């Protein structure tokens, strides 16, 4: 692979505030993939889009987006200077599967059990574990890397997805431990996470994820993931 064709930055963006973020009973009535943004979520995405466009400063960009309604709405609201042919709807970037129509009481009980068991390995009934999402994110990365092999590769890549998927993307990219991954918070709604290319063509995070569990001390390799 020609490293010089790697993009200048890879920008991960979590979807804006969704109806499910406000009221988890919506999952009883609406499939997860059809849940929409709230008015605040659209506003968050528009604000993030303005900041990203300023950073891009006219450079070429391509986008990947989870097929869920809230992520596609977020991408549209970002209003990036990207041609339709350069937008790829990527099912491997979808949210962790929890169930079909969800029982909020049952999901709350399973989330509590997951906190005891571990977010990476715990598998929701009729759903996925974090490790399952990690595996599909890994195959997505292999596909994405193949697109960096020509001089026509874009200078910027924007990926609109979900909070857990963003953490697992970075875990896979930077080879973080399960313990460090599990100590991290999800990004806020519409929050961008930026991977910047360095002089040696490797990437570093512009800033680290926040940790909900500061008792987990990142290793030297994990600390080298960010500027």
């Amino acid at each position: 692979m020609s490293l010089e064709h790697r993009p200048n930055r890879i920008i991960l963006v979590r979807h804006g505030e969704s109806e499910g973020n406000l009221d988890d009973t919506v999952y009883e009535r609406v499939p997860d993939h059809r849940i929409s943004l709230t008015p605040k979520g659209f506003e968050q995405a528009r604000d993030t889009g303005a900041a990203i466009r300023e950073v891009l400063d006219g450079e070429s960009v391509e986008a990947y987006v989870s097929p869920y309604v809230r992520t596609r709405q977020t991408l549209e609201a970002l209003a990036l200077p990207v041609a339709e042919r350069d937008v790829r709807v990527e099912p491997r970037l979808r949210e962790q599967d929890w169930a079909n129509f969800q029982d909020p009481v049952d999901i709350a009980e399973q989330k509590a059990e997951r906190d005891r068991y571990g977010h990476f390995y715990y598998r929701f009934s009729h759903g996925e574990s974090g490790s399952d999402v990690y595996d599909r994110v890994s195959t997505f990365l292999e596909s994405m890397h193949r697109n960096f092999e020509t001089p026509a590769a874009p200078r910027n890549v924007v990926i609109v997805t979900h909070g857990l998927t963003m953490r697992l993307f970075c875990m896979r990219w930077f080879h973080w431990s399960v313990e460090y991954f599990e100590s991290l918070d999800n990004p806020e709604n519409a929050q961008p996470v930026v991977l910047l290319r360095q002089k040696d063509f490797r990437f570093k995070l512009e800033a680290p994820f926040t940790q909900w569990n500061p008792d987990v001390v990142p290793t030297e390799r994990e600390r080298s993931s960010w500027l």
Side-chain angles (χ1 to χ4, degrees):
M1 175 179 170
S2 300
L3 296 181
E4 66 268 22
H5 300 320
R6 283 185 164 191
N8 295 329
R9 58 185 66 80
I10 298 171
I11 305 174
L12 305 169
V13 182
R14 185 184 175 193
H15 62 81
E17 180 186 78
S18 73
E19 295 169 346
N21 293 139
L22 284 186
D23 176 12
D24 60 9
T25 66
V26 73
Y27 294 104
E28 297 177 81
R29 306 180 300 277
V30 182
D32 194 2
H33 62 278
R34 293 182 185 168
I35 289 175
S36 297
L37 295 182
T38 65
K40 180 180 178 181
F42 281 106
E43 181 180 0
Q44 290 171 328
R46 286 191 290 268
D47 289 346
T48 297
I52 291 176
R53 292 194 301 274
E54 184 174 351
V55 168
L56 297 179
D57 194 27
E59 292 180 344
S60 60
V61 59
E62 72 176 8
Y64 296 88
V65 60
S66 157
Y68 282 28
V69 167
R70 57 187 178 273
T71 42
R72 297 172 77 165
Q73 289 175 330
T74 298
L75 177 62
E76 183 176 358
L78 292 176
L80 301 176
V82 57
E84 185 177 352
R85 67 177 181 276
D86 293 324
V87 175
R88 306 184 186 205
V89 178
E90 178 49 74
R92 289 173 291 184
L93 293 172
R94 69 187 185 275
E95 175 65 287
Q96 180 180 12
D97 292 332
W98 291 356
N100 292 317
F101 291 101
Q102 298 171 22
D103 177 348
V105 174
D106 176 60
I107 292 296
E109 291 174 351
Q110 290 194 62
K111 284 183 175 180
E113 187 175 0
R114 178 187 63 174
D115 289 342
R116 296 190 299 272
Y117 191 90
H119 286 217
F120 188 75
Y121 295 113
Y122 182 83
R123 177 172 284 109
F124 284 91
S125 299
H126 313 295
E128 290 183 303
S129 65
S131 61
D132 294 327
V133 182
Y134 177 94
D135 289 343
R136 56 176 161 86
V137 167
S138 296
T139 66
F140 164 73
L141 282 175
E142 293 170 3
S143 301
M144 185 180 71
H145 277 299
R146 288 196 291 272
N147 294 328
F148 298 162
E149 295 178 354
T150 69
R155 294 299 80 216
N156 300 273
V157 173
V158 174
I159 299 172
V160 184
T161 182
H162 308 265
L164 179 79
T165 310
M166 291 169 67
R167 284 194 289 139
L168 288 165
F169 179 102
C170 291
M171 176 187 177
R172 175 64 179 83
W173 189 288
F174 295 111
H175 306 289
W176 290 342
S177 67
V178 171
E179 292 74 22
Y180 181 62
F181 157 77
E182 292 199 339
S183 77
L184 302 176
D185 285 318
N186 275 344
E188 298 294 331
N189 289 119
Q191 180 182 340
V193 171
V194 182
L195 286 73
L196 292 173
R197 195 182 80 176
Q198 305 301 299
K199 291 181 179 179
D200 62 0
F201 299 107
R202 297 180 183 274
F203 287 84
K204 286 184 179 286
L205 287 169
E206 196 170 48
F209 283 73
T210 59
Q211 282 185 274
W212 68 267
N213 183 4
D215 292 337
V216 176
V217 179
T219 64
E220 181 178 351
R221 183 180 68 190
E222 287 162 348
R223 287 195 299 274
S224 72
S225 303
W226 56 82
L227 297 173

